Amino acid sequence: GKTNRCRMGAKEETAKADVLGIRGAATGVLETKRGSGRITVRKKQLERGETEVKWNGRRIAQVAHENLVQGEKPGDPTPRYPKEMARKWVEKENVDVPVELSRSMVRCRKGEPVAWKNATLVQGLLGKWTLEYLAVAMGKTNKGHEVLVSDAEKHRFLPYDGRKNLYGSMYHVREPETIRMNMSCEEYAECTKKWREKRPRLSLKLLKADFMPGSQKPHMMDDLGRTVKEDFCDCVDWEWCKNLLLVQGFGTVNDCELQCTTKNALMPARYEEWDSFFVQLTGRRRVLLVDPSQAFDGMYPYPVAHPYDQGSMVDFDHPDYGQWPKFSRTHGMVCIMEPGDVLYVPRFWFRHVQTLDEEEVSLEMKVGPGNRTLQEACFPLAVSRLLETRLVAAEGLEGARLWLERIANGEDMDYVDWKTVPGYKRIQLVQMVRDEVADVIGKDAVASFLLDMIDGRMLPTPWLNQNFREPLYLQDRPYYVDDTRTEWERKYPELFRKRLLQEGYEVQPTVSTVPIPGYNMPTDADWRTWGLE
């Protein structure tokens, strides 16, 4: 290859070299695909008496200029989603520039994602709330902090609702991918350094109840420690937060969650029913946002009754376009969050979060809707959640999808016996479905909306249990329990009830038809007349 001299005397070239990390490392030749080039001493370095350039010999990953401007750095993990999905960036607006601030407020009012930089919301916590500081501040005084644990190979965290993970249900997940543990913040910090096969993620709830900044003080959880409570109350610019909520018409701050993760951790795409503000404290994260209008046009959200409700069924790391054909046309916008940045995520927008640094600490504030109206793009998800909830309660998990398909195809009256009470209730249910869709989506879109709503959804999810092995089958030999009862005890167990129950045998209760005071009638009642009134 041809040897090219890299002379970087201009200020623009010097700044570019500083960004790429070339400046300041043993003398050597930079190996590139186009050949080798020798790095020479700059003019300012010669003036300072430096005669050689130190270089560490490592090749710097190339990053596009636009990505550098948005916050990407050489060596960042590759995006954990198809690259064709990221079609544009979320514009970062500087709060110190009036034009940009005004423009961001207009977009926020319209329900569009907005990113602010140089915001004073958490300036007092920047450089302070690191994992080491939090571990010392909270210590080992409490074991109740929820920590999600994932395999190091996948390194992704799928939150699930254990109340919906019912045994025997067609949505039952036998072994959730993410494990829940309880540990203190100090123990979490130790696990992030020592664990090799597992990766933890700390999710710490800070607020006990909702509050309005400026007029009320935050109601903090009791197990956080005095230092963390004082920092959260004193170092956060609640005046800036109050002005933002009042100008935009939001309600109270309903929840605030502290999140700590490690590099290349993934929180797969999911949506929330609340407006959220992501606030970056330490490290960086890459956030992919997808419009809710694409929920049934490529995102394939889990059913409401599923343990992974509000998440997307598509694996963004390895998408199966045969199983999810519409996903190929899904697109979104990307934001690289740096310390001090604030990102507004409207409700029902899918957020796909990936961390970029070894240590990442952030806050997620959820606020009420206040007097803000729901955007039109969110109507399909909101209506589908309502219909699924009512149909599952009336017809069960399997019947809900069946009746939606019948209503969409106009076959519902073929399966309704209007002469019976259950048939009359089904007629009301069918009419409710049609009215809800017609009022919100449109009269002409009832059939098409219902078909899109059940396309690839509300079906069993067997791929979640493919690698599960029944624990009872792991033993080589069966274990038998001897029956120690006598012949009379097996024949008349009710006569030996007390002893059999103590030994663990099951004895059916006997029901007496004779009135006995204190047993099947009140003690002070007359057995001769009781039950004859």
Side-chain angles (χ1 to χ4, degrees):
K2 183 179 180 181
T3 301
N4 298 322
R5 299 271 181 182
C6 301
R7 304 187 180 275
M8 303 180 181
K11 294 183 179 180
E12 296 82 6
E13 297 294 338
T14 304
K16 184 177 180 180
D18 292 340
V19 172
L20 294 177
I22 297 177
R23 185 177 183 180
T27 303
V29 176
L30 180 63
E31 296 181 0
T32 63
K33 294 182 179 180
R34 299 184 179 180
S36 59
R38 187 173 301 277
I39 302 176
T40 59
V41 183
R42 301 187 183 97
K43 183 177 180 180
K44 291 185 178 181
Q45 291 176 327
L46 291 174
E47 294 175 356
R48 293 195 299 264
E50 300 179 14
T51 58
E52 61 181 12
V53 179
K54 296 182 179 180
W55 180 57
N56 57 12
R58 294 180 299 178
R59 176 180 172 82
I60 306 298
Q62 295 183 359
V63 181
H65 173 71
E66 183 180 6
N67 297 1
L68 284 172
V69 173
Q70 296 294 337
E72 294 271 10
K73 292 183 179 180
D76 283 348
T78 57
R80 299 185 64 174
Y81 53 81
K83 293 184 178 181
E84 58 271 12
M85 287 188 64
R87 297 190 180 180
K88 61 179 181 179
W89 296 92
V90 178
E91 295 183 11
K92 286 187 180 181
E93 308 291 358
N94 193 339
V95 297
D96 298 332
V97 181
V99 176
E100 296 186 11
L101 181 60
S102 176
R103 184 171 56 205
S104 66
M105 291 300 169
V106 174
R107 289 168 47 206
C108 183
R109 190 68 184 181
K110 293 181 180 179
E112 300 177 3
V114 181
W116 291 283
K117 59 182 179 180
N118 296 333
T120 60
L121 180 61
V122 290
Q123 288 295 329
L125 298 178
L126 295 181
K128 184 176 183 181
W129 268 24
T130 61
L131 183 56
E132 182 180 358
Y133 175 84
L134 295 173
V136 174
M138 286 187 278
K140 297 183 178 180
T141 57
N142 187 277
K143 305 284 185 179
H145 302 325
E146 182 181 270
V147 175
L148 301 180
V149 181
S150 172
D151 291 335
E153 183 179 356
K154 293 184 177 180
H155 202 181
R156 64 180 181 181
F157 302 91
L158 296 171
Y160 66 95
D161 190 349
R163 298 170 298 179
K164 298 180 181 180
N165 196 19
L166 303 178
Y167 184 81
S169 168
M170 72 181 206
Y171 298 143
H172 177 59
V173 181
R174 296 189 174 186
E175 187 176 4
E177 180 178 321
T178 303
I179 305 173
R180 287 176 178 172
M181 298 180 63
N182 289 331
M183 63 177 67
S184 65
C185 188
E186 186 175 352
E187 291 173 338
Y188 167 78
E190 294 177 359
C191 293
T192 57
K193 299 176 182 178
K194 297 180 180 180
W195 284 5
R196 294 295 179 266
E197 298 181 357
K198 299 290 184 180
R199 292 290 184 271
R201 174 179 182 263
L202 177 63
S203 178
L204 182 58
K205 188 175 181 180
L206 300 181
L207 296 182
K208 186 186 300 184
D210 57 345
F211 77 103
M212 174 56 72
S215 59
Q216 298 175 336
K217 289 185 177 180
H219 304 286
M220 306 288 291
M221 299 294 290
D222 299 330
D223 55 356
L224 298 177
R226 187 180 66 180
T227 304
V228 175
K229 292 181 181 180
E230 292 178 354
D231 290 346
F232 189 75
C233 295
D234 300 337
C235 298
V236 177
D237 189 354
W238 294 115
E239 188 67 22
W240 189 90
C241 182
K242 182 193 73 172
N243 294 334
L244 176 63
L245 298 182
L246 292 179
V247 169
Q248 294 295 326
F250 288 110
T252 58
V253 178
N254 295 336
D255 191 13
C256 186
E257 191 177 83
L258 175 66
Q259 302 172 355
C260 302
T261 47
T262 55
K263 188 175 183 178
N264 201 26
L266 177 68
M267 282 62 75
R270 60 180 290 107
Y271 65 89
E272 294 286 348
E273 297 183 76
W274 302 94
D275 293 286
S276 302
F277 289 92
F278 289 167
V279 186
Q280 199 67 21
L281 300 178
T282 304
R284 296 172 300 121
R285 59 167 50 183
R286 181 189 291 121
V287 184
L288 173 69
L289 300 176
V290 181
D291 193 295
S293 62
Q294 305 179 65
F296 304 120
D297 195 27
M299 290 302 292
Y300 297 96
Y302 279 102
V304 175
H306 199 280
Y308 292 148
D309 178 28
Q310 299 183 354
S312 174
M313 292 188 283
V314 184
D315 183 2
F316 282 34
D317 285 328
H318 309 285
D320 186 353
Y321 295 103
Q323 186 177 7
W324 319 111
K326 295 182 181 179
F327 181 70
S328 59
R329 57 181 183 232
T330 306
H331 60 275
M333 55 181 66
V334 182
C335 177
I336 305 296
M337 295 191 63
E338 299 176 299
D341 290 350
V342 179
L343 174 64
Y344 165 61
V345 182
R347 49 181 166 168
F348 290 108
W349 277 67
F350 289 86
R351 71 284 304 273
H352 186 78
V353 183
Q354 178 186 4
T355 57
L356 302 178
D357 291 335
E358 294 295 340
E359 179 181 334
E360 193 264 354
V361 181
S362 61
L363 292 175
E364 180 180 357
M365 293 184 180
K366 299 178 182 179
V367 298
N371 57 11
R372 294 170 64 95
T373 58
L374 191 64
Q375 299 299 319
E376 185 177 354
C378 307
F379 289 171
L381 264 180
V383 173
S384 68
R385 293 190 63 85
L386 175 65
L387 298 182
E388 288 183 41
T389 303
R390 294 182 178 179
L391 283 169
V392 168
E395 301 293 339
L397 296 179
E398 298 180 359
R401 187 183 192 278
L402 181 62
W403 276 98
L404 286 174
E405 186 176 5
R406 289 172 178 175
I407 296 172
N409 296 327
E411 303 172 351
D412 47 281
M413 295 307 298
D414 297 340
Y415 299 90
V416 173
D417 186 2
W418 57 272
K419 299 180 181 179
T420 62
V421 174
Y424 175 72
K425 291 183 177 180
R426 282 181 172 171
I427 291 176
Q428 289 183 316
L429 186 67
V430 169
Q431 190 61 38
M432 180 274 299
V433 172
R434 287 202 173 98
D435 290 344
E436 289 290 345
V437 179
D439 293 342
V440 180
I441 307 300
K443 294 183 179 180
D444 299 334
V446 174
S448 59
F449 172 76
L450 295 179
L451 291 177
D452 290 339
M453 177 178 163
I454 63 176
D455 184 18
R457 299 181 64 251
M458 304 179 69
L459 294 170
T461 53
W463 64 88
L464 298 176
N465 299 318
Q466 286 182 350
N467 299 325
F468 176 78
R469 185 178 179 186
E470 183 63 48
L472 296 179
Y473 296 159
L474 300 181
Q475 297 180 353
D476 296 331
R477 292 178 297 179
Y479 178 72
Y480 297 98
V481 179
D482 295 333
D483 189 353
T484 59
R485 296 177 298 176
T486 64
E487 181 181 355
W488 289 97
E489 289 174 343
R490 285 193 295 268
K491 191 173 184 180
Y492 304 104
E494 63 274 4
L495 300 178
F496 309 92
R497 174 187 305 276
K498 185 175 181 180
R499 194 182 75 83
L500 292 178
L501 290 176
Q502 290 178 350
E503 295 181 359
Y505 291 99
E506 184 179 356
V507 181
Q508 296 295 333
T510 56
V511 181
S512 176
T513 58
V514 178
I516 303 175
Y519 179 71
N520 56 4
M521 63 173 289
T523 306
D524 57 349
D526 188 356
W527 62 272
R528 292 169 295 185
T529 59
W530 186 81
L532 300 179
E533 289 84 357

